[in-house]
Structures are given as C-alpha cells and as structure tokens.
Amino acid sequence: MQSENRFIDDLTRMMSGAMSAAGGVREEAEARMRQHFEGLFARMDLVRREEFNVVRDMAALARQENERLAARVAELEGALAGGKAAPKKAAAKKAAPKKAAPKKAAAKAAAPAGNAAAGTDQTPDTDS
C-alpha cells in the first residue's frame, strides 16, 4: 500500500512540474508573439486607436469652426451689401459655391486680356 501512495505522489509531483513548465512556455510564447506583432505593426506605420480618436475629434472641431466662420463671413458680407443676412446655415451652404465663379468672371470682364496692372497673366487662354 505504501508503494502505491509513493507512486501516486511522484506522479502528482511530476504532473505539477510539467504543468508549471507548460505555463512558463505559454507565457514566453505569448511575449514573443506580442513582440513580433508590435514590430510588424511598427513597420507598417499604423496608428494606435487613441491617436486616431484624437485626430478624428480635432477634425470634427475644425469642421465645426469652419462652418461657424463660413456663416459669419456670409453674415458680414450680407451686412456689407446693405441687405439683411440670411440665416447662418443657409448662408453658409448657399454662399460658398456661388461666390467663386462670379468673382472670376467679373475679374475677366473688368480687365482686358494682357493687362498686367489688373493682375491678370499675360498668356492667352487656351482652354477652348
């Protein structure tokens, strides 16, 4: 009976040692895999989630500021023209696309081609 208990005790100790060794191997394998993937991600020039969230929030704030400033510009232009300013959101959406083309057309109509004093270039237009 004594021999069976010793055999079982030895077997238990051996299994316990094997389990602890397997746990150490697992931890080492995880550490090596983590190092490998961190190096791979560093070479791929990826950004971390926290950095991405910060930049996304900054872009949203910049977009809001841009919309606010566009509405303010439209309001000031309306006041300068002597008329009432349109509501801020409508002015910001309507004013931006329509302003670029009329200014360009007005500048071409006001200054003859080749007039250096008016700020136009002296090369003929070859768009057509």
Side-chain angles (χ1 to χ4, degrees):
M1 200 71 175
Q2 184 105 11
S3 64
E4 289 181 8
N5 287 339
R6 189 183 312 173
F7 177 74
I8 292 174
D9 288 343
D10 287 344
L11 186 60
T12 304
R13 281 189 216 126
M14 187 177 71
M15 293 301 279
S16 177
M19 293 301 284
S20 65
V25 169
R26 180 185 59 87
E27 290 173 3
E28 186 176 336
E30 285 178 356
R32 286 182 186 247
M33 290 294 285
R34 188 176 300 116
Q35 287 175 349
H36 175 73
F37 281 116
E38 285 176 358
L40 179 68
F41 292 148
R43 286 190 305 270
M44 291 176 68
D45 198 25
L46 299 174
V47 296
R48 295 192 180 271
R49 184 68 180 179
E50 295 84 19
E51 293 170 352
F52 174 79
N53 289 339
V54 168
V55 172
R56 184 189 62 200
D57 294 342
M58 287 174 34
L61 289 174
R63 189 178 313 112
Q64 289 173 353
E65 181 70 10
N66 188 17
E67 291 172 358
R68 187 187 67 79
L69 290 174
R72 178 73 175 142
V73 167
E75 181 182 322
L76 291 173
E77 286 177 346
L80 187 63
K84 283 191 170 184
K88 289 184 179 183
K89 285 190 176 184
K93 288 182 180 178
K94 291 181 182 179
K98 292 183 180 179
K99 287 184 183 176
K103 283 185 180 179
K104 204 174 210 182
K108 282 186 178 181
N115 188 354
T120 60
D121 64 0
Q122 297 179 357
T123 59
D125 288 335
T126 57
D127 291 347
S128 54

